[in-house]
Amino acid sequence: MTLLIAMTGWHVEDWRQRFQALLPELPVVVLGEPFDRRAVHYVASWKHPEGSLAGLPNLDAIFSLGAGVDHLFADSRLPDVPIARVVDPDLTNRMSEYIVLHCLMHLRQQRRYDRQQREAVWDDDRHQPAARSVRIGIMGLGELGLDAARKLQMVGFDVAGWSRSPKDVDGLQSFAGEDGLVTFLARTDILVCLLPLTTDTRGVLNAWLFSGLAQDGRLGGAFLINAGRGGLQVEADILAALAAGTLKGATLDVFETEPLPSDSPLWNHPAVTVTPHNAAMSEPEAVAGLIAAQIRRLQAGEPLEHVVDPAKGY
Amino acid sequence: MTLLIAMTGWHVEDWRQRFQALLPELPVVVLGEPFDRRAVHYVASWKHPEGSLAGLPNLDAIFSLGAGVDHLFADSRLPDVPIARVVDPDLTNRMSEYIVLHCLMHLRQQRRYDRQQREAVWDDDRHQPAARSVRIGIMGLGELGLDAARKLQMVGFDVAGWSRSPKDVDGLQSFAGEDGLVTFLARTDILVCLLPLTTDTRGVLNAWLFSGLAQDGRLGGAFLINAGRGGLQVEADILAALAAGTLKGATLDVFETEPLPSDSPLWNHPAVTVTPHNAAMSEPEAVAGLIAAQIRRLQAGEPLEHVVDPAKGY
């Protein structure tokens, strides 16, 4: 029984050491070096090369090294075995830190005060709206969306949520499906996107959606925060909406191409905040521990946790 | 019975209109115009000129137009009548918005990512600490300090508080007095100052205090957030501590001189965030309403609320 680590973009040797320390009895191999394909029962993947997991006849499960699994479904030759996500409570908290931070930056006009500081200008805003008069709309009411919603409410914001299928959440106004989307957008000053990337959601943050956001709110326009996946957004539409005033500002942690190309106009757009896909990074030690625990669960004959539904893609 | 408005720095006619609309039966006069001093029973003040409230023989109460009352006690000829603060629940929420925002900006290294964005640099931090591993210390456990503490805890921070006299607050580690101060500082990564300005607290944010802050925390140094009063801080000591590394960063909403002089080195210091004393501004309409309600209370023979203790100065 071997664990195969299959990743691109990350430092694989660190991961090998972490897993080997946690699972000393289990051989750990890395894609690219010679290994017995029949011995591989478990795969830990982050953006493995297309087709590289085919031909593993005894594979029992694939573990995504991140919360998202869209990188797995991008592989048309993905083996048909159970796939488990990482559900790291710490990652949920980190995502909420990011969402609360950037909602507050928009609410409190931090970019205006940054500009004033550069110019040594002292000018307050006697009509600064309070959080309770600003409406946040969260797309995606999974664990991340619900935790962010709860914390934004505690800070005082007027929060609602939208999800594909109806969800009944105590104390949270929620909308669902295509029917609910228009109403949801029309009451949203700050749109927070935490959707998974699936064939249904690709490109959902587009001109049509932006044009439905509230324009009459206390912030004097609509703001976008995308901390989901870059494939959810149409960057040309974001830039056009900013130019037209349909969007007043955007905070983007994810991009169509990552790292964001150095010639992207998003980098130096005065109304855009760019962060390098780090809204919610798990500590590698925590992720390795969670996956090691899942492997021990399988070995003890217990069911796998956090299994993905391939039909839904999340 | 007349209400006298005595202010400097703010637009007095707006206030006259607000009070007159709320109290149509009460004559409202403004300092600087002729009026009958014997008719004045109430004063609404914001930084009135020294001595200008002397010689009001029938004065019943003075209302501060802001949460702070230090501007009143700065007047050595202040009449000996009850003084009431404004306690605006909305102002408490706004202060917490500001405190949560700036604690999160320090936690999430927003200034680092701002710099990277200007330089089109994509570089994350795999070892970004979570809020739970960062210790916030709040000086001042009045209504503002306690609300901020509760909200910072909900976002995940490790929060403790310090106050002059011991306070027993559920779920909050709290320190008191000079004896508790050293221990409190030694466990503080981000110091949040919400103290009132009194003769005891003037200049409390000084070199000695900064040198006691934690230097071994997950943020790699100590941070200061002062949203109390400018008189609490020694700006030369803040600049020296930043130069020496005793402070790694500071967010200042208040200053020794306000507006902050255009030649202050704080404006363009890369580790300092300057905001124009707007962490928590009440909406003028709300403040006028709260003071009008206090005047009606007095007229109905009911006791005044939120009376200041002149011995303590808050």
Side-chain angles (χ1 to χ4, degrees):
Chain A
M1 291 215 178
T2 297
L3 166 64
L4 167 65
I5 306 177
M7 60 172 57
T8 56
W10 290 357
H11 200 256
V12 72
E13 280 309 319
D14 292 347
W15 285 96
R16 187 210 297 265
Q17 283 169 31
R18 279 175 207 124
F19 280 117
Q20 203 64 85
L22 289 158
L23 300 161
E25 75 289 358
L26 194 78
V28 178
V29 298
V30 162
L31 198 70
E33 67 190 19
F35 62 89
D36 177 1
R37 298 190 76 86
R38 287 164 307 175
V40 174
H41 282 250
Y42 317 113
V43 164
S45 162
W46 185 251
K47 300 184 181 173
H48 66 264
E50 169 102 28
S52 60
L53 305 187
L56 298 169
N58 296 310
L59 191 62
D60 291 326
I62 298 173
F63 302 98
S64 172
L65 286 163
V69 291
D70 45 290
H71 66 102
L72 295 174
F73 291 115
D75 179 357
S76 61
R77 294 164 66 203
L78 191 71
D80 181 19
V81 298
I83 294 168
R85 293 186 301 132
V86 167
V87 176
D88 174 7
D90 206 43
L91 183 137
T92 305
N93 292 334
R94 285 160 190 266
M95 181 60 89
S96 291
E97 292 168 10
Y98 184 92
I99 300 300
V100 171
L101 167 59
H102 288 283
C103 286
L104 283 172
M105 283 184 72
H106 291 304
L107 171 69
R108 297 300 299 250
Q109 308 178 70
Q110 187 56 43
R111 294 318 191 190
R112 164 189 167 161
Y113 294 111
D114 287 351
R115 214 161 38 238
Q116 289 186 188
Q117 181 174 350
R118 286 196 295 274
E119 296 164 3
V121 169
W122 180 277
D123 181 22
D124 60 38
D125 176 2
R126 281 258 117 197
H127 296 92
Q128 166 66 45
R132 67 180 155 72
S133 23
V134 170
R135 299 161 297 178
I136 295 180
I138 300 181
M139 292 187 85
L141 294 176
E143 314 199 28
L144 298 179
L146 288 177
D147 190 71
R150 201 174 52 85
K151 287 173 179 168
L152 289 165
Q153 285 180 323
M154 292 189 301
V155 172
F157 285 105
D158 179 2
V159 185
W162 180 90
S163 52
R164 196 174 71 149
S165 45
K167 296 217 174 174
D168 189 15
V169 183
D170 253 10
L172 182 72
Q173 192 184 12
S174 67
F175 300 84
E178 286 188 38
D179 292 349
L181 187 56
V182 171
T183 319
F184 165 79
L185 295 173
R187 53 79 57 214
T188 293
D189 299 311
I190 303 177
L191 182 72
V192 174
C193 181
L194 288 169
L195 290 169
L197 180 62
T198 68
T199 47
D200 283 344
T201 62
R202 184 169 291 279
V204 70
L205 301 175
N206 58 32
W208 175 83
L209 182 134
F210 303 145
S211 71
L213 291 167
Q215 293 297 332
D216 58 345
R218 286 294 308 275
L219 294 181
F223 293 82
L224 168 67
I225 298 174
N226 185 11
R229 281 285 183 268
L232 297 165
Q233 75 199 15
V234 181
E235 288 169 15
D237 287 7
I238 293 176
L239 288 162
L242 287 166
T246 318
L247 283 178
K248 202 173 169 191
T251 300
L252 305 175
D253 186 51
V254 291
F255 302 91
E256 291 174 9
T257 304
E258 293 180 9
L260 183 63
S262 57
D263 62 352
S264 167
L266 293 169
W267 281 115
N268 62 5
H269 195 296
V272 176
T273 295
V274 169
T275 52
H277 200 152
N278 69 346
M281 299 175 91
S282 289
E283 292 197 90
E285 292 71 18
V287 172
L290 292 163
I291 292 174
Q294 290 261 55
I295 290 174
R296 292 200 189 286
R297 208 167 282 127
L298 284 180
Q299 290 179 331
E302 293 167 24
L304 206 57
E305 293 185 335
H306 313 304
V307 176
V308 172
D309 177 351
K312 285 172 145 181
Y314 62 93
Chain B
M1 291 215 177
T2 297
L3 166 64
L4 168 65
I5 306 176
M7 60 172 56
T8 56
W10 289 356
H11 200 256
V12 72
E13 282 307 320
D14 292 349
W15 285 94
R16 186 209 297 265
Q17 282 169 31
R18 278 173 208 125
F19 280 118
Q20 203 64 87
L22 289 158
L23 300 161
E25 74 291 357
L26 193 78
V28 178
V29 297
V30 163
L31 198 70
E33 66 191 18
F35 62 89
D36 176 3
R37 298 189 77 84
R38 286 164 307 176
V40 174
H41 282 251
Y42 317 113
V43 164
S45 163
W46 184 250
K47 301 186 181 172
H48 66 264
E50 170 104 26
S52 60
L53 306 187
L56 299 169
N58 297 310
L59 191 62
D60 292 326
I62 298 173
F63 302 98
S64 172
L65 286 163
V69 291
D70 46 290
H71 66 102
L72 296 174
F73 291 115
D75 180 358
S76 61
R77 295 165 65 202
L78 192 70
D80 182 21
V81 298
I83 293 169
R85 293 186 301 133
V86 167
V87 176
D88 174 6
D90 206 42
L91 182 137
T92 305
N93 292 333
R94 285 160 190 265
M95 181 60 89
S96 291
E97 292 168 11
Y98 184 92
I99 300 301
V100 171
L101 167 59
H102 289 282
C103 287
L104 284 171
M105 282 184 73
H106 291 304
L107 171 70
R108 298 299 299 250
Q109 308 177 69
Q110 187 55 43
R111 294 319 190 189
R112 163 188 167 163
Y113 294 111
D114 287 349
R115 213 161 38 239
Q116 288 185 188
Q117 181 173 349
R118 286 195 295 274
E119 296 162 3
V121 168
W122 180 278
D123 181 23
D124 60 38
D125 177 3
R126 282 259 115 198
H127 295 92
Q128 166 66 46
R132 67 179 157 71
S133 24
V134 170
R135 300 162 297 178
I136 294 180
I138 300 183
M139 292 188 86
L141 294 177
E143 314 198 29
L144 299 178
L146 288 178
D147 191 70
R150 200 174 53 85
K151 288 173 178 168
L152 289 165
Q153 286 180 322
M154 292 189 301
V155 172
F157 284 105
D158 179 2
V159 185
W162 179 90
S163 51
R164 197 174 70 148
S165 45
K167 297 219 175 172
D168 189 16
V169 184
D170 253 11
L172 182 72
Q173 191 185 10
S174 68
F175 300 84
E178 286 188 37
D179 292 350
L181 187 56
V182 170
T183 318
F184 165 78
L185 295 173
R187 53 78 59 212
T188 293
D189 299 311
I190 302 177
L191 182 71
V192 174
C193 182
L194 288 170
L195 290 169
L197 180 61
T198 68
T199 47
D200 283 345
T201 61
R202 184 168 291 278
V204 68
L205 301 175
N206 57 32
W208 175 83
L209 181 135
F210 302 146
S211 71
L213 291 167
Q215 294 296 333
D216 58 345
R218 287 295 308 276
L219 294 181
F223 293 82
L224 168 67
I225 298 174
N226 186 10
R229 280 286 182 268
L232 297 164
Q233 76 199 13
V234 181
E235 288 169 15
D237 287 8
I238 294 175
L239 289 162
L242 288 166
T246 318
L247 282 178
K248 201 173 171 193
T251 300
L252 305 175
D253 187 50
V254 290
F255 303 90
E256 291 174 9
T257 303
E258 294 181 7
L260 182 64
S262 58
D263 62 352
S264 167
L266 293 169
W267 281 115
N268 62 4
H269 195 297
V272 176
T273 295
V274 168
T275 52
H277 199 151
N278 70 347
M281 300 176 92
S282 289
E283 292 198 87
E285 292 71 18
V287 171
L290 292 163
I291 292 174
Q294 290 262 55
I295 290 174
R296 292 200 189 286
R297 209 168 281 126
L298 284 180
Q299 290 179 331
E302 293 167 23
L304 207 57
E305 294 185 334
H306 313 305
V307 175
V308 171
D309 177 350
K312 284 172 146 181
Y314 62 93

